[in-house]
Amino acid sequence: MQTEDKAKRKRPKRKGNRFMRNAKGFAKQGIFGRGTHIDDEQFSYFINILDAMKAGFEEVEERVNMANNVFEQTNDQEIHLSSNQIVSKALESLVGFVDDAQLERYFNKFGDNLRPLCSDRFASHVLQKMLEIAFLRGVGKKSVDQEQSDAAKRAKPDAAQVEEEYNLGADFSEDHREKCRQFVLRISKFMLNNLEDFVWDTCASHIMRTAILSLVGMHVPKIAFEKGGAEMAKHRKLYEVPDEWPEVMKEFPQRLEMWPQFADFPYQEHSSALLGVICLALSVADKSMLKHFGKKILTISLLKPNDAEEEKKNGDTDAKIEIKDDDDVEEGSTQPRPDDGDNQDVQAPVLPKVFHHQSSVILLETILGVAGAKLLTQLYAMLFCGRVANLAQQHETNFSVQRLLQHIKEASDFEAVFSELQPQVEGLLKMGYTGVVSALSAACLRLGTKQAQMIAALQSALHVSGGDKEKSKLFFNCLVKLKPSEVVGSDESGFVHLHGSLIAQHILQFNKPIFLVNCILDLSATQLSQVFNTPNGSHIVDAFMQSKYIGEKSRERLIRQLEGFYVDLAITRHGSRVLEQCFQAAQEAQKLRIAKELFSKASMLKGSPYGRLIYTKYRMDTYKLSPSQWQESLSKHLDPDQPKEAKRKTAKSAADAFKDILS
């Protein structure tokens, strides 16, 4: 798991390095980037700019100065240079930091050549980025989702956040911001008036999606050397926009749904992505229109039967998809029952066309994420009912089942889904589709139903059910590794499965988590510290300490059980988090014992960067002078709910208390 995560983090860097290496290699052959031709001198200039940008900047002012200098060099050659591969990368990365005059010059130049530029494979990237920057400067600092913005500011800002904060907060004139708003509206209306040309156009489709999101105040950053997509969409923010903008956006779905080709949109990459963006935008602008538009996509497109060849394979070319009552079985469907055994693969249900194309599956997941309760019920009844078990066991569709479980709102619908998935839990774990099981337990927690049955299904799947008490005690070990008891018995590694950890956290917050709590408390301190001292395992302690259904005595017992291992936890990144959770939940006497243990190995604590933070945070130097006074001052120092004025008084009183000792 850790190796995969590291590889993912390095991919963008390798891609950027490869791009630069290839560009310099082709330059030796006299090829100075794809697209329009630039001379050797221009190529050297812009490749040096890209090298400097990859190295990074310490201050925003440095990037602003470079951006203005670079854009000045493109004067009277804006269109020609933007259509070159190397130059477009540089302009796209710097356009967010140019001054108002430079950006407005580009507005005018690009505005006179919109049609060819929208389809140009390199200039279109610059235009899309200009649209994003115009949106940010146009809306200013009017953020709707203030909590989201505050959360983002707590972490160290990345390149996208630095660019966003600069364009929102820089001292631009109101005239410039108005011109930016006009540019957003102009591009959006141009895309709307040329829908027929641009819906299937690879380059223009991306510009259209950015325009649609901008019209409703939704910002998803575009980074030159990084891919966008689902990960970036998770961090989108909302801003207030002029009243006219959402009305323009609503014309996109109104026009598209009248097209005769509408039924085929989900099955083509660019048109499917466009429908997904429209659904995201409607979830902000008009939920009633979203319900209508989503239902239209469902009934006209997603319910289409599969292609003739696939239907012949299933032996049912005339299959019809219609809503049935809960007790009925779909005509042509042969969904196996839990006791069908080996016949499950043979008697698979007929699946609609939506589940046979990646683009339509992604669109379905997007709709599930934004749909209201009624639309979700319709999606479940028409697409998932009777097919959930089969869909959960396929690589292409198990994420759709996870998304359904994450957003399902009606308890009756969830209970029907649970009844289908419960017998398949062991099979899903064997096949490696552990995310479905995690989503199932999360839904049990969120909706407050089927919790006891979920625990029983996991016990059965991990082979720890029955009368054998010794085997039952292995439940926690089996759960965090997601391996059956026969395998876990000989597994002494400290591996903790991500989804196993999540499921354990969900169960600890169930209404009756006592079985899992006892399994945790029956483990030795060595085993517990090994589990908790991992990235995934450390969060289990959070759930244990914060669950309102776990008693104070159980918390005290866990804290007491870890005594003797707090120094080992404190000197590691993830273990130090566990120590903080335990210390926060501990009684005063227990806090003293933890402090005594930490102080007894102070040199070991100071030898680790995480240990030094713990040493400073919990004032071990003060503990050395007087444990009783340390206890009094620390409780006041660590109380987050205490007003600032009270904290100042506490600091003075603590200083007075130690005055005699320190003098």
Side-chain angles (χ1 to χ4, degrees), residues 73-260:
Q73 295 296 320
T74 65
N75 197 16
D76 294 331
Q77 300 183 74
E78 293 86 356
I79 305 301
H80 177 78
L81 291 176
S82 296
S83 301
N84 176 271
Q85 182 186 23
I86 305 299
V87 182
S88 70
K89 284 282 186 185
L91 297 180
E92 181 187 344
S93 301
L94 291 171
V95 69
F97 296 92
V98 296
D99 61 26
D100 48 6
Q102 301 276 20
L103 186 59
E104 288 172 21
R105 174 165 58 87
Y106 264 72
F107 285 169
N108 296 329
K109 294 289 185 179
F110 273 58
D112 296 335
N113 299 272
L114 281 179
R115 184 173 291 277
L117 289 176
C118 285
S119 300
D120 188 277
R121 57 192 300 198
F122 302 120
S124 61
H125 289 277
V126 181
L127 178 57
Q128 184 184 354
K129 190 65 181 181
M130 285 168 55
L131 181 61
E132 178 194 334
I133 299 305
F135 162 74
L136 288 173
R137 294 188 182 184
V139 298
K141 291 186 176 180
K142 298 176 181 178
S143 174
V144 174
D145 199 345
Q146 192 60 44
E147 290 183 5
Q148 197 176 25
S149 299
D150 293 341
K153 287 178 182 177
R154 292 189 199 109
K156 184 179 179 181
D158 56 21
Q161 288 172 322
V162 170
E163 182 183 77
E164 183 178 14
E165 289 171 8
Y166 173 76
N167 285 285
L168 290 172
D171 189 20
F172 297 113
S173 66
E174 183 56 34
D175 179 63
H176 176 63
R177 294 192 184 275
E178 179 58 33
K179 287 179 179 177
C180 289
R181 290 191 284 269
Q182 291 174 3
F183 184 76
V184 172
L185 202 55
R186 179 181 180 183
I187 298 298
S188 302
K189 289 184 176 180
F190 181 80
M191 304 308 294
L192 182 63
N193 293 332
N194 292 274
L195 268 178
E196 293 81 359
D197 298 328
F198 292 152
V199 163
W200 293 282
D201 187 293
T202 303
C203 299
S205 177
H206 287 86
I207 301 172
M208 191 183 303
R209 288 178 238 165
T210 300
I212 290 171
L213 292 177
S214 298
L215 289 172
V216 297
M218 192 177 288
H219 177 234
V220 179
K222 181 185 190 301
I223 306 299
F225 288 97
E226 296 179 16
K227 281 196 172 183
E231 288 302 313
M232 281 197 170
K234 289 178 182 177
H235 307 294
R236 57 183 178 264
K237 296 179 183 177
L238 294 176
Y239 297 94
E240 290 181 9
V241 295
D243 295 338
E244 180 188 0
W245 287 16
E247 297 305 316
V248 175
M249 189 283 301
K250 292 177 189 178
E251 292 188 42
F252 282 92
Q254 289 170 352
R255 291 192 187 184
L256 288 175
E257 68 183 13
M258 294 188 293
W259 287 20

Side-chain angles (χ1 to χ4, degrees), residues 422-449:
Q422 185 179 13
Q424 311 298 330
V425 170
E426 183 174 357
L428 289 168
L429 295 179
K430 284 181 179 178
M431 296 168 74
Y433 298 142
T434 53
V436 178
V437 183
S438 175
L440 188 64
S441 65
C444 290
L445 172 63
R446 181 169 56 86
L447 297 171
T449 185

